[in-house]
């Protein structure tokens, strides 16, 4: 498909150094190219087209400009992701490791759930809508999963604080468990407006400008905060696992190894990129889809190289789901009772991805600091 062509016959130490420079040099250029692409088109749409919300909360636009922009996003995504794959480290995880059976089954379960959600939209758009309303199933699951993960990281923090180690890795672990616990607590509580409706609390005057007139921060500037949140989640749940699977090992990666999301997190999170309708005009949404598809192609190529039929089936099915579900939502968009209903499902899938990331990370941390181990290869 696109086999690497790097000469790997040089001295191992010299090769690892040059390998690292090539990979991370290309990564820096790729990030810069994506940033220029994103900001350039965004400023043009803001200024020349008068799209002050960058097309968000509007029906998909199929004009020549938006089709050409999508094609450009697809080409750039393929260049960036396949370039990183070709420059992957010798013996990288994407070439040498497989998903454990239980994690592969978990990824299949999430994919089947995504198919069920898309099927529900086709068969019963009214129920699809009702499940996403305030104080209904999706909102509570989207809140309780991050809150449970927050508690888990707090427990991990206590384990690490009691450990005898006093090295840099422990300090990083303490800082990150505290930060993640706090962040997940805020995410969960924001989802249910800090339990305002549960306790029937009157909305304070400082939240008078809130779009829902509720006690939360994310609806003060819902478009900006919402898109920033999804960009961060795309990086954390999809892009970072791919980098962890392909990048050359180095001291920085080893220092943060316990907090690097695995291929499992990528597999369970990938379906959410297809759940958009009112945000399709936003260039970020299109990049989510094109980059995710390019990474799935790379995982398929790696699975083929390992003769791993199970991962071929899993990642192939994920790619097919995105390729079918995305146009389905676009073509049947008039069935949405609220234009933004699909976004509520995105938040649900993100909550699942965060909670499963938390579960595997907490397990690694507690095992390390319970047993006093100092190895850095605990990713799976």
């Amino acid at each position: 498909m696109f086999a690497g062509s790097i000469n790997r016959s040089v001295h191992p130490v010299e090769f690892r150094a040059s390998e690292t420079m090539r990979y991370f040099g290309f990564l820096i250029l790729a990030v810069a190219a994506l940033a220029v692409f994103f900001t350039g088109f965004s400023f043009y749409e803001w200024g020349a087209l008068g799209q002050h919300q960058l097309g968000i909360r509007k029906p998909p636009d199929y004009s020549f400009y938006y089709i050409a922009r999508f094609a450009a996003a697809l080409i750039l995504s393929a260049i960036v992701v396949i370039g990183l794959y070709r420059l992957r480290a010798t013996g990288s995880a994407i070439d040498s490791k497989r998903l454990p059976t239980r994690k592969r089954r978990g990824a299949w379960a999430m994919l089947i759930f995504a198919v069920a959600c898309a099927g529900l939209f086709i068969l019963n758009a009214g129920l699809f809508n009702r499940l996403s309303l305030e104080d209904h199933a999706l909102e509570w699951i989207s809140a309780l999963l991050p809150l449970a993960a927050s508690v888990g990281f707090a427990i991990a923090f206590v384990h690490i604080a009691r450990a005898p180690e006093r090295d840099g890795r422990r300090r990083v672990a303490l800082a990150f468990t505290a930060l993640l616990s706090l962040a997940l607590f805020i995410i969960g509580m924001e989802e249910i407006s800090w339990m305002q409706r549960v306790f029937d609390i009157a909305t304070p005057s400082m939240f008078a400008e809130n779009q829902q007139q509720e006690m939360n921060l994310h609806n003060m500037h819902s478009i900006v905060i919402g898109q920033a949140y999804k960009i961060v989640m795309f990086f954390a749940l999809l892009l970072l696992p791919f980098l962890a699977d392909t990048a050359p090992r180095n001291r920085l990666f080893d220092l943060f190894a316990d907090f690097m999301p695995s291929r499992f997190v990528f597999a369970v999170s990938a379906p959410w990129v297809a759940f958009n309708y009112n945000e399709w005009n936003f260039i970020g949404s299109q990049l989510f889809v094109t980059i995710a598809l390019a990474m799935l192609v790379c995982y398929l190529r790696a699975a083929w190289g390992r003769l791993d039929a199970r991962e071929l089936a899993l990642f192939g099915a994920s790619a097919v789901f995105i390729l079918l579900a995305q146009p389905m939502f676009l073509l049947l968009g008039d069935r949405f009772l609220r234009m933004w209903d699909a976004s509520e499902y995105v938040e649900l899938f993100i909550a699942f991805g965060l909670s499963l990331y938390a579960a595997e990370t907490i397990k690694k941390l507690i095992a390390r600091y319970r047993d006093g181990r100092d190895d850095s290869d605990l990713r799976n």
Side-chain angles (χ1 to χ4, degrees), residues 61-83:
D61 189 322
Y62 302 117
S63 64
F64 175 79
Y65 168 78
Y66 282 97
I67 293 173
R69 193 193 66 179
F70 175 74
L74 182 60
I75 293 169
L76 179 60
S77 298
I79 292 171
V80 167
V81 175
I82 294 174

Side-chain angles (χ1 to χ4, degrees), residues 8 19 24 39 43 68 75 89 101 115 121 131 146 158 176 234 249 253 276 290 313 320-321 324 327 332 364 371 377:
R8 304 188 175 185
E19 193 175 63
F24 287 101
T39 55
F43 276 117
I75 293 169
T101 300
V115 172
F121 173 72
L131 291 174
V158 173
F176 270 72
F234 181 83
R249 297 291 295 271
F253 262 60
N276 64 66
T290 55
V320 169
F321 171 77
L324 293 178
L332 302 179
K364 287 187 290 187
D371 299 341
D377 192 18

Side-chain angles (χ1 to χ4, degrees), residues 113-125 128 321 328-329 335:
F113 178 68
V115 172
C117 291
L120 177 63
F121 173 72
I122 295 172
L123 298 173
N124 193 335
F128 184 90
F321 171 77
M328 181 271 293
F329 282 119
R335 295 172 60 87

Side-chain angles (χ1 to χ4, degrees), residues 4 6-10 15 19 85-91 95:
I6 301 173
N7 181 4
R8 304 188 175 185
S9 61
V10 296
F15 173 72
E19 193 175 63
Y85 178 76
R86 287 176 61 87
L87 293 171
R88 67 195 183 280
T90 305
D95 289 325

Side-chain angles (χ1 to χ4, degrees), residues 23-40:
Y23 184 93
F24 287 101
F26 181 82
L27 178 61
I28 292 170
L29 290 175
V31 170
L34 288 168
V36 170
F37 184 83
F38 178 89
T39 55

Side-chain angles (χ1 to χ4, degrees), residues 60-246:
D61 189 322
Y62 302 117
S63 64
F64 175 79
Y65 168 78
Y66 282 97
I67 293 173
R69 193 193 66 179
F70 175 74
L74 182 60
I75 293 169
L76 179 60
S77 298
I79 292 171
V80 167
V81 175
I82 294 174
L84 290 170
Y85 178 76
R86 287 176 61 87
L87 293 171
R88 67 195 183 280
T90 305
S92 59
I94 199 169
D95 289 325
S96 60
K97 294 184 179 180
R98 302 185 178 194
L99 276 173
T101 300
R102 59 185 177 80
K103 290 189 174 183
R104 191 177 63 252
R105 289 173 178 170
W108 271 112
M110 284 302 301
L111 180 57
I112 292 169
F113 178 68
V115 172
C117 291
L120 177 63
F121 173 72
I122 295 172
L123 298 173
N124 193 335
L127 181 57
F128 184 90
N129 164 262
R130 288 195 296 277
L131 291 174
S132 68
L133 296 175
E134 299 289 329
D135 294 326
H136 283 66
L138 265 65
E139 183 177 65
W140 276 103
I141 296 172
S142 300
L144 292 176
L145 287 174
L147 289 173
S150 173
V151 172
F153 274 116
I155 293 171
F157 179 88
V158 173
H159 275 269
I160 299 166
R162 291 176 175 176
E165 293 89 342
R166 292 293 183 270
D167 57 4
R169 183 190 298 280
R170 176 179 174 275
R171 289 191 290 273
V172 167
L174 284 171
F176 270 72
T177 48
L179 179 63
L180 288 168
S181 181
L182 177 61
L184 288 162
F185 178 76
I186 292 172
I187 289 170
M189 293 300 284
E190 277 283 303
E191 183 66 25
I192 51 176
S193 297
W194 298 83
M195 302 189 76
Q196 178 184 10
R197 294 184 300 276
V198 174
F199 297 111
D200 195 24
I201 301 172
T203 302
S205 58
M206 66 177 293
F207 293 101
E209 300 300 321
N210 186 297
Q211 292 176 1
Q212 288 185 328
Q213 285 75 52
E214 290 185 349
M215 199 169 66
N216 59 55
L217 296 172
H218 69 275
N219 279 311
M220 300 293 284
H221 301 283
S222 61
I223 290 179
V224 174
I225 294 175
Q227 296 311 313
Y229 175 68
K230 289 173 184 174
I231 290 171
V232 171
M233 290 300 104
F234 181 83
F235 174 81
L237 301 178
L238 290 170
L239 188 56
L240 199 54
F242 181 79
L243 297 179
D245 265 346
T246 56

